[in-house]
Amino acid sequence: MRLFVSVDLAGFDTEIERIQDRFADASGVRRTDPETVHVTLKFLDDVNDERVPALTDVLETAIDEAGIDPFTAEFGGLGAFPSDEYIRVLWIGVREGGDELTRLHEAIEERTTEMGFDPEAHEFTPHATIARMDHAGGKEHVQRVLREDDPTVGTREIATVELTESVLTDDGADYTTVERFAL
C-alpha cells in the first residue's frame, strides 16, 4: 500500500479551482484534483499490509503525544518548490495553524522514523499542492502569478488526521482513507 498521513482540505474545491485557474494559460502546469487537495504530514511510500496495524498504533500514539486539540487553520498564499526559479510544485500555504501542523508532523516523523520509515530529506513546510510543472514552458506566467497574487482559500476547523492510501492510475491518484485519528 502506498500511504501518507495528511489533513484533508475537502470542501475548498471551488476556491482551489479558482486559484488553479490563474495558471490556466501557463504551458506545462498540471493541476491536482481540487477535491483531493490535502496537507501531507508524512509520506510513508510503499507499506506492507502486515505493517498497517502497527503503523496505525504508532500514529495514534504520535498524534496523542503531539498534544494538539482541534484548531482553526487558515489557508492561502502561493508558493513553489523547490524554488521560484526552478518550479516543480505549486502550492497554497497555511497562514494560521502552521505551528500545530508542524507539531503534528514532528511527532509523526519521530515515531515513524523509530519504526523504520525513512526520515524526511527536507524541512517541513505546511502546504497543499495544487499543481505540478511538467516543463518550464509557462514558467514566466507562473512566476508572475506567484509574485502578484496572494489568494485566500478559507478557514476550517482541523479535528482529524488521516492515514491515506494512494493508488496511481492513468487519470491521476485515487485516495482512500485507511484510518482517521481524532485530535
Side-chain angles (χ1 to χ4, degrees):
M1 300 174 75
R2 187 172 185 261
L3 300 175
F4 61 90
V5 183
S6 65
V7 171
D8 188 16
L9 297 188
F12 284 138
D13 314 0
T14 303
E15 293 84 355
I16 291 168
E17 195 167 356
R18 180 179 45 81
I19 294 167
Q20 291 172 324
D21 285 345
R22 297 169 192 207
F23 301 104
D25 294 333
S27 174
V29 173
R30 181 174 33 97
R31 299 174 178 206
T32 57
D33 180 349
E35 294 180 10
T36 64
V37 172
H38 58 272
V39 175
T40 301
L41 298 173
K42 173 70 177 176
F43 181 70
L44 299 163
D45 208 358
D46 292 323
V47 179
N48 187 309
D49 293 359
E50 296 167 359
R51 292 186 77 191
V52 173
L55 175 61
T56 58
D57 289 345
V58 162
L59 291 173
E60 187 167 357
T61 298
I63 292 164
D64 286 345
E65 288 175 348
I68 304 291
D69 291 323
F71 63 97
T72 300
E74 180 184 356
F75 299 91
L78 292 170
F81 288 138
S83 71
D84 292 353
E85 192 57 38
Y86 179 74
I87 303 167
R88 296 288 301 148
V89 172
L90 296 168
W91 50 263
I92 54 173
V94 180
R95 291 186 174 146
E96 185 180 313
D99 290 343
E100 290 87 346
L101 291 168
T102 299
R103 283 182 28 215
L104 285 164
H105 160 76
E106 289 170 350
I108 291 166
E109 176 75 4
E110 180 180 344
R111 287 294 183 163
T112 56
T113 301
E114 288 172 0
M115 193 177 175
F117 289 95
D118 291 337
E120 291 292 331
H122 49 79
E123 186 175 331
F124 179 71
T125 301
H127 72 281
T129 298
I130 60 167
R132 298 184 187 283
M133 277 200 80
D134 294 330
H135 61 78
K139 177 180 167 181
E140 289 180 11
H141 177 89
V142 169
Q143 288 173 322
R144 185 174 57 256
V145 172
L146 291 173
R147 272 192 318 272
E148 297 174 0
D149 287 6
D150 186 25
T152 296
V153 175
T155 303
R156 76 171 317 138
E157 180 82 3
I158 305 298
T160 60
V161 172
E162 297 181 4
L163 176 62
T164 304
E165 179 181 15
S166 171
V167 176
L168 300 178
T169 71
D170 291 340
D171 297 326
D174 285 332
Y175 298 135
T176 305
T177 300
V178 174
E179 189 73 43
R180 193 170 275 120
F181 306 93
L183 297 182

